[in-house]
Amino acid sequence: GFSKQMVEILTRHGVSFSTFDIFSDEEVRQGLKTYSNWPTYPQLYVAGELIGGLDIVKELEASGELDTICPKAQKLEDRLKSLVNKAPVMLFMKGNKQMAKCGFSKQILEIMNNTGIDYETFDILEDEEVRQGLKTFSNWPTYPQLYVKGELVGGLDIVKELKESGELLPVLKGEN
């Protein structure tokens, strides 16, 4: 019950957090009590420092301090802007550079690898929030999606057209 309350408070405040099930590892469960000098669970840590248990978190929530102590979850739109600008050329696909997980992604990888241009990939199968959110963000319903300097170029069909017209390299270099 206490852990559930803690998760509800953190979620309500939009805090970015992850959890560890102390029942999954008895050594960690006992060791953390000694390490933190805190005998009960749940225990909240921010940047490796113990904040306290549920009672402390409730006090911080009541005083308004919880929002200043805890890191906020990044808004999806901000996260997507950050991802499309992670590298000068960003490819959102099913799979990654080493292994495409669909035919369209495989084809675009072959084209990209033949350009000699350095690029990064993001596997949309690993993150459903990004997979769905990027469709709206880019107003482009399918994958793969290719971005240059944070701007959507398009999907496989567009990349094929650019390649055939000789425009792909200048676009990838940001010379368009």
Side-chain angles (χ1 to χ4, degrees):
F2 294 132
S3 293
K4 185 178 177 198
Q5 288 179 57
M6 177 82 84
V7 167
E8 285 170 356
I9 291 169
L10 296 176
T11 302
R12 186 167 57 243
H13 284 265
V15 173
S16 176
F17 69 96
S18 58
T19 60
F20 180 83
D21 180 1
I22 53 159
F23 292 120
S24 70
D25 190 325
E26 188 61 26
E27 189 178 16
V28 170
R29 182 180 182 184
Q30 296 308 325
L32 207 51
K33 289 178 182 180
T34 307
Y35 170 80
S36 64
N37 196 22
W38 196 271
T40 60
Y41 290 101
Q43 295 178 5
L44 178 67
Y45 290 80
V46 174
E49 296 294 320
L50 176 69
I51 301 303
L54 181 62
D55 52 345
I56 301 288
V57 169
K58 283 181 173 178
E59 287 173 19
L60 290 169
E61 181 184 35
S63 72
E65 291 176 82
L66 187 64
D67 291 326
T68 59
I69 291 173
C70 294
K72 292 289 187 189
Q74 197 176 18
K75 287 191 176 77
L76 180 58
E77 188 173 346
D78 293 339
R79 188 165 169 235
L80 295 174
K81 280 181 188 168
S82 174
L83 282 171
V84 300
N85 286 289
K86 184 177 171 203
V89 180
M90 256 328 269
L91 178 61
F92 292 82
M93 60 178 285
K94 293 178 180 174
N96 57 42
K97 272 185 182 179
Q98 289 71 41
M99 193 181 90
K101 293 181 183 169
C102 85
F104 298 120
S105 292
K106 185 174 193 247
Q107 288 180 56
I108 206 166
L109 277 184
E110 288 170 4
I111 293 169
M112 293 299 295
N113 289 339
N114 286 326
T115 64
I117 299 288
D118 194 34
Y119 66 98
E120 292 291 321
T121 60
F122 184 94
D123 184 354
I124 54 145
L125 297 175
E126 300 291 320
D127 192 322
E128 190 62 23
E129 187 181 42
V130 169
R131 181 181 183 173
Q132 297 308 324
L134 200 58
K135 291 177 185 181
T136 307
F137 178 82
S138 64
N139 197 21
W140 195 270
T142 59
Y143 290 99
Q145 290 183 15
L146 180 66
Y147 287 78
V148 174
K149 295 183 179 172
E151 296 293 321
L152 177 68
V153 173
L156 178 61
D157 291 346
I158 302 286
V159 170
K160 280 181 174 177
E161 287 173 20
L162 289 169
K163 180 185 170 211
E164 287 165 18
S165 71
E167 296 173 70
L168 184 58
L169 229 47
V171 166
L172 293 176
K173 292 177 179 175
E175 296 170 356
N176 54 335

